[in-house]
Amino acid sequence: MRVLVVQAHPSSSSYCAAVCDAAVRGLRTGGHDVRVHHLYAEGFAGFMSRAERIAYHTTEPIISDEIDAHVADLKWAEALVFVYPTWWAGLPAILKSWFERTMLPDVAFRFDDNGKVKPALTHIRRIVAITTYGGTRRASFLVGDGGKRIITRALRLSCGFRVRSTWLGLYGVDRSNNNQRSTFLKRVEQRLARL
């Protein structure tokens, strides 16, 4: 399967970076064709520009080579894997920006003749999210877990209801020990090898 991995953490030496490495190892062990975008390392803009917003509903919403490359990989992929830390009960701003800037009309969705929104990412068969939480599972549930809602609900609407999703979360990462972190890395690698 063709898999696009999108990683969103500013530090290349972070635990999140190690999680991404484990995911990529697992995917390659499973024989998948993998492309990876490290948003911070690439200098991906963490906001939609005024020009992008104006172009959003035009016939040519892609106005930069940067976005064109990400959209090309999005169209190429059959599976999407997101690796990020959960901050303030949601996605890091740079990953939210990635969604805003790449999930464009005629890329992520289209309108039928009656003006009804239809999914355009129907080639996506799997969505995987891997994240770390500072708080507990219960605390994340109580605050609404915005990242999980965006990826497993909103993004799924652009892919169609046949897409399968996998959620891998390490809760309480701030209080976790080396054994718990190592166990999670192994779980990620093994799970993605079987994708």
Side-chain angles (χ1 to χ4, degrees), residues 9 26 32 53 88 99 118 175:
H9 194 286
H32 301 289
R53 183 62 190 129
W88 280 96
F99 280 101
K118 297 289 184 181
R175 294 174 307 284

Side-chain angles (χ1 to χ4, degrees), residues 15 19 22 130-132 168-170 179-189:
Y15 180 69
V19 170
I130 309 165
T131 188
T132 57
L168 299 170
L170 177 59
N179 185 50
Q180 291 166 318
R181 290 179 182 215
S182 294
T183 299
F184 186 71
L185 291 176
K186 288 175 192 168
R187 178 179 168 217
V188 166
E189 186 171 347

Side-chain angles (χ1 to χ4, degrees), residues 87-112:
W87 291 336
W88 280 96
L91 304 171
I94 199 167
L95 184 54
K96 178 73 166 46
S97 174
W98 185 87
F99 280 101
E100 291 169 354
R101 298 176 71 208
T102 63
M103 299 294 163
L104 301 165
D106 294 324
V107 174
F109 61 92
R110 60 180 52 96
F111 297 97
D112 68 12

Side-chain angles (χ1 to χ4, degrees), residues 48-63 100-101 103-111 115 117:
M48 178 185 277
S49 70
R50 180 178 184 275
E52 286 174 316
R53 183 62 190 129
I54 291 169
Y56 187 85
H57 286 295
T58 69
T59 56
E60 294 186 30
I62 300 171
I63 63 169
E100 291 169 354
R101 298 176 71 208
M103 299 294 163
L104 301 165
D106 294 324
V107 174
F109 61 92
R110 60 180 52 96
F111 297 97
V117 177

Side-chain angles (χ1 to χ4, degrees), residues 63-78:
I63 63 169
S64 72
D65 292 341
E66 175 189 38
I67 298 305
D68 193 39
H70 283 265
V71 167
D73 285 346
L74 187 58
K75 289 179 176 180
W76 163 87
E78 296 171 296

Side-chain angles (χ1 to χ4, degrees), residues 36-53:
V36 183
H37 282 287
H38 297 279
L39 298 181
Y40 282 96
E42 293 174 18
F44 190 85
F47 58 90
M48 178 185 277
S49 70
R50 180 178 184 275
E52 286 174 316
R53 183 62 190 129

Side-chain angles (χ1 to χ4, degrees), residues 84 86 129 131 133 145 147-148 151-152 165-169 171 187:
Y84 67 94
T86 295
T131 188
Y133 296 86
D145 204 342
K148 189 172 188 178
I151 292 172
T152 62
S165 63
T166 301
W167 192 264
L168 299 170
Y171 295 88
R187 178 179 168 217

